[in-house]
Amino acid sequence: MSQSHTLPLSDALPQDPREERDHFHDRLFRYAVTGCATFVLIALLGAAFSMLWGGREAFSTFGVQFLWSADWDAVQKKFGALVPIYGTLVTALIAMIIAVPVSFGIALFLTEIAPAWLRTPVAAAIELLAGIPSIIYGMWGLFVFVPFMAEHVDPWLDEHLGPLAIVGPLFQGAPIGLGMLTAGIVLGIMVIPFISSVTREVFVTVPVHLKESAYAVGNTTWEVVWDIVLPYTRSAVVGGIFLGLGRALGETMAVTFVLGNSHRLTASLLEPGNSIAATIANEFTEADSSVYLSSLIALGFLLFIVTFIVLAVARLMLSQLARRGGTTS
Amino acid sequence: MKNTVFSRLKLHVAAAGVASMLMTSAFAADITGAGSTFVYPILSKWSTTYNAKTGSKINYQSIGSGGGIAQIKAGTVTFGASDKPLPPEELKEAGLVQFPIVIGGVVPVVNLEVAKAGDMRFSGPVLADIFLGKIEKWNDPAIAALNPSLSLPDQKITIVHRSDGSGTTFNWVNYLSKVSDEWKTKVGEGTSVNWPVGVGGKGNEGVAAYVNQIKGSIGYVELAYAMQNKMKYTEVKNKAGNFVDPSLATFQAAAANAEWKAQDFFEVITDAAGKDSWPITASVFVMMYKQPKEATTSADALKFFKWALNEGQADAKELDYVALPAPLVKQIEAYWAQNIK
């Protein structure tokens, strides 16, 4: 972006004092907003770099093996990030599988189907849900949802899906209610308000004449939604999903309550696991050796990297989807 | 006019500021401490009572034993508190002294329908095998042999441990290491260990919540949590071969039977001798500087601990802690006189 393009006045010599003043104010405004944007970048880089610096002892002791070692032994002072990384990704994936379709449903119901008098109160209720502190979800998860999973869902999954050939190992295990599946579901419920309130906002912005024209040529509600509303709002919807995904990856308190906090690698979703954020929250206060502390900070740095990679991959996939959508329509 | 009112106001503010500065300097500076979460309830109770009596304030932050050791070594606090004693060489290097301040105990708790509180009996090796994952079912012959009167179910045992590093864990695994060689070599001891099996709860309250939620589970908590949450605690066989209930009396017996001969009280009193001793009794240690930078604050802290050891006993009992036995208190006071300048 060239200078003259953003500020057409800068080349012309300002003559009258008013123009000069405007010119000055314009420049001031530009510095101010550039400063805001730079601040975010500096904060991000600063946080990432200080984590990397804090984690340098872990990286230098364990090398790249830190990434795929499943060890986590404070007595032997051997640490590896595989179990927390795996748990973080799996719980976030389960959360998104649940949250994305449900959020779309909520947003579409509110913009296309619900009677007008119902829309505002329900939208307000969703925003209220978004404001609930995560520890409340954690306590609800532990005291209400975990017993429900232990008594009804886990035994059923173990019995019916456990013996299956390929997906079977995912659903075998003692029905204790705690575990990655429970954590994923609680996370899903937590991120629904984020995704649905963003999607609802942008669905409202679809011009009425586009939708009305589609209905006029005989489209069903589903066709209008799929062919008109979603393509029109795609980038904003993606933004909403990313907001939810970012929250799911970094959520700490609620996950700690229901995940089981156990450093063992297991295929089963019913078994307890660990996530990066939960490990840090659990173990930071009593990390009694410098390499232990450093490993926890290194985990924090890896959470940055994991989040970055997940978001990049998601964006790539979506842009490819968009291209394909562009050629077929 | 406005100006004069304003300047007069400023003068008042300045005077008040000077006055308050003078007032605070008339009292001693606050005593600060950091460390063990295990000792936090009793320390905060003591500091309230002590403050009401003497006006001295004790500001204790329960950041964890590891944090407490780090803070006292950095010299940012007057005293540090830890569930795990430091070896004499390490103390000497840092110029610190160390003494026990209060006794507590770790208690196994179970969630099993057939058992009431105090019904189940365990021995150290059986507990170690359960926590190693070698004993998987409640009706295992090893458990059944200790509990002939209970009809134990064919149910899987779910182990609940601490997910955070903690002094409770340290004393628990220290006991398991003392009674089981396999535990000692495979897992070892520390404030957090690599658990072979089980789920982790954060804090005593987290373990208590998990044990209450999960049927067929076993965990370990401090006595106070077991009592307050009405959990099913168990009896454990002690070194003398008796099955004992966890109680203030059995904790006291263990503390009295410990010899406290080691230098700087470097002794973990789990698996203590004596027919009434609770085998998983724990003590909390306080660390202070031999030659403190702020001598008056340090002397005030010692006064506080002297008061706590002698007169704070009622408070301790109320919160399910055990005050130190009288001979040990004498021993600690002699140690102070000898070591702290």
Side-chain angles (χ1 to χ4, degrees):
Chain A
M1 216 181 270
S2 72
Q3 190 110 345
S4 61
H5 181 73
T6 48
L7 262 184
L9 283 176
S10 64
D11 287 342
L13 280 173
Q15 300 285 314
D16 94 73
R18 182 186 159 128
E19 226 170 89
E20 210 169 314
R21 215 170 48 232
D22 278 357
H23 180 67
F24 171 72
H25 283 161
D26 235 356
R27 225 174 29 201
L28 207 66
F29 180 69
R30 225 177 62 158
Y31 290 147
V33 291
T34 314
C36 292
T38 327
F39 170 73
V40 175
L41 282 180
I42 290 174
L44 182 73
L45 288 177
F49 183 74
S50 53
M51 295 244 180
L52 183 61
W53 184 249
R56 69 190 188 283
E57 189 181 341
F59 287 122
S60 65
T61 314
F62 306 112
V64 260
Q65 256 201 315
F66 186 70
L67 294 178
W68 56 80
S69 157
D71 283 335
W72 194 269
D73 190 333
V75 181
Q76 311 277 339
K77 297 200 172 69
K78 273 191 206 150
F79 301 98
L82 183 64
V83 176
I85 290 178
Y86 175 74
T88 305
L89 291 176
V90 170
T91 49
L93 182 70
I94 297 172
M96 296 321 277
I97 290 173
I98 294 165
V100 170
V102 174
S103 305
F104 276 21
I106 294 172
L108 291 174
F109 173 77
L110 287 179
T111 52
E112 303 297 323
I113 290 158
W117 60 267
L118 193 64
R119 294 180 184 185
T120 325
V122 174
I126 291 171
E127 264 145 41
L128 203 65
L129 263 183
I132 294 178
S134 59
I135 189 148
I136 305 288
Y137 283 100
M139 292 177 72
W140 170 82
L142 179 58
F143 291 114
V144 181
F145 194 58
V146 165
F148 174 78
M149 290 291 284
E151 269 167 44
H152 303 292
V153 183
D154 286 4
W156 189 89
L157 289 173
D158 192 24
E159 197 178 322
H160 292 88
L161 301 181
L164 296 182
I166 298 163
V167 294
L170 286 177
F171 299 105
Q172 289 164 356
I176 51 174
L178 302 164
M180 288 193 270
L181 182 64
T182 311
I185 295 173
V186 171
L187 270 183
I189 296 169
M190 287 181 70
V191 298
I192 282 172
F194 287 86
I195 304 180
S196 63
S197 76
V198 172
T199 31
R200 191 195 68 88
E201 296 282 341
V202 296
F203 283 0
V204 172
T205 65
V206 176
V208 178
H209 63 261
L210 281 181
K211 289 193 285 186
E212 292 298 328
S213 320
Y215 283 123
V217 297
N219 278 344
T220 61
T221 311
W222 170 252
E223 284 166 339
V224 171
V225 165
W226 194 250
D227 294 328
I228 310 290
V229 175
L230 272 180
Y232 190 85
T233 55
R234 185 181 286 125
S235 64
V237 167
V238 169
I241 294 176
F242 282 4
L243 197 66
L245 183 58
R247 168 131 199 204
L249 285 169
E251 176 50 43
T252 311
M253 223 48 228
V255 173
T256 308
F257 272 71
V258 296
L259 187 54
N261 306 311
S262 143
H263 280 288
R264 271 190 315 282
L265 199 59
T266 141
S268 174
L269 299 178
L270 307 186
E271 292 278 333
N274 223 332
S275 82
I276 295 179
T279 305
I280 299 173
N282 270 315
E283 301 182 19
F284 202 76
T285 43
E286 285 279 356
D288 51 5
S289 60
S290 66
V291 65
Y292 191 1
L293 197 65
S294 173
S295 297
L296 288 170
I297 298 171
L299 270 188
F301 178 72
L302 288 179
L303 185 58
F304 257 92
I305 305 293
V306 167
T307 311
F308 179 75
I309 292 174
V310 168
L311 293 184
V313 168
R315 197 168 276 278
L316 207 72
M317 269 163 51
L318 284 161
S319 76
Q320 230 144 36
L321 249 148
R323 207 175 302 146
R324 207 178 308 147
T327 52
T328 49
S329 65
Chain B
M1 183 63 199
K2 212 175 181 182
N3 232 342
T4 52
V5 169
F6 187 64
S7 57
R8 211 177 287 165
L9 198 71
K10 263 204 318 211
L11 206 73
H12 276 290
V13 172
V18 170
S20 69
M21 265 160 65
L22 285 174
M23 268 162 69
T24 41
S25 68
F27 288 103
D30 286 358
I31 301 164
T32 55
S36 158
T37 48
F38 182 92
V39 77
Y40 177 67
I42 181 62
L43 259 183
S44 65
K45 173 96 186 166
W46 275 340
S47 68
T48 325
T49 317
Y50 193 67
N51 185 26
K53 252 184 86 179
T54 63
S56 293
K57 267 192 192 155
I58 292 97
N59 179 0
Y60 183 71
Q61 311 214 329
S62 58
I63 55 172
S65 299
I69 293 171
Q71 293 289 323
I72 186 69
K73 278 187 178 169
T76 50
V77 288
T78 322
F79 68 91
S82 167
D83 306 317
K84 188 178 162 180
L86 288 180
E89 311 86 65
E90 197 176 338
L91 289 167
K92 199 174 172 195
E93 203 175 292
L96 293 170
V97 296
Q98 165 178 279
F99 51 90
I101 185 71
V102 77
I103 306 276
V106 186
V107 181
V109 284
V110 295
N111 179 346
L112 201 63
E113 262 166 43
V114 296
K116 289 199 294 290
D119 268 2
M120 284 215 76
R121 292 176 151 193
F122 287 112
S123 67
V126 167
L127 281 174
D129 282 350
I130 292 174
F131 273 75
L132 278 167
K134 283 169 71 187
I135 296 178
E136 292 181 335
K137 291 270 174 78
W138 280 107
N139 60 356
D140 190 281
I143 304 178
L146 295 171
N147 299 282
S149 59
L150 296 175
S151 57
L152 295 161
D154 178 27
Q155 191 177 10
K156 199 171 177 291
I157 304 176
T158 302
I159 282 99
V160 183
H161 53 75
R162 288 283 288 268
S163 61
D164 49 336
S166 95
T168 313
T169 296
F170 169 75
N171 286 294
W172 177 253
V173 295
N174 174 276
Y175 173 64
L176 295 184
S177 296
K178 279 182 183 167
V179 294
S180 159
D181 285 336
E182 189 175 353
W183 182 275
K184 195 173 186 176
T185 50
K186 263 195 180 165
V187 184
E189 55 182 281
T191 50
S192 60
V193 297
N194 187 15
W195 299 97
V197 282
V199 298
K202 186 162 167 55
N204 275 296
E205 61 282 5
V207 171
Y210 278 0
V211 170
N212 282 335
Q213 295 279 334
I214 303 169
K215 293 203 173 83
S217 60
I218 180 170
Y220 57 93
V221 293
E222 284 158 34
L223 179 67
Y225 282 85
M227 295 300 171
Q228 281 156 18
N229 294 307
K230 307 218 174 349
M231 302 182 77
K232 294 172 179 174
Y233 58 84
T234 72
E235 294 191 337
V236 179
K237 194 177 185 176
N238 64 15
K239 202 173 187 178
N242 296 334
F243 288 97
V244 285
D245 264 327
S247 71
L248 299 188
T250 54
F251 292 179
Q252 190 120 41
N257 283 313
E259 293 183 342
W260 300 107
K261 273 185 185 154
Q263 198 192 340
D264 296 320
F265 303 96
F266 179 59
E267 191 169 329
V268 182
I269 58 171
T270 56
D271 202 26
K275 67 178 174 52
D276 296 324
S277 300
W278 176 250
I280 324 157
T281 304
S283 41
V284 179
F285 297 85
V286 164
M287 284 127 199
M288 289 174 71
Y289 276 102
K290 274 185 186 168
Q291 284 160 315
K293 268 176 270 166
E294 289 168 51
T296 47
T297 321
S298 191
D300 282 344
L302 272 186
K303 252 186 239 161
F304 165 67
F305 286 127
K306 189 178 164 75
W307 171 86
L309 287 178
N310 289 301
E311 289 164 60
Q313 295 189 9
D315 282 349
K317 212 167 269 174
E318 213 173 284
L319 295 173
D320 293 319
Y321 293 88
V322 177
L324 302 184
L328 181 57
V329 173
K330 288 262 156 4
Q331 204 179 330
I332 292 170
E333 281 168 357
Y335 175 79
W336 287 343
Q338 200 182 355
N339 285 293
I340 300 181
K341 286 172 186 114

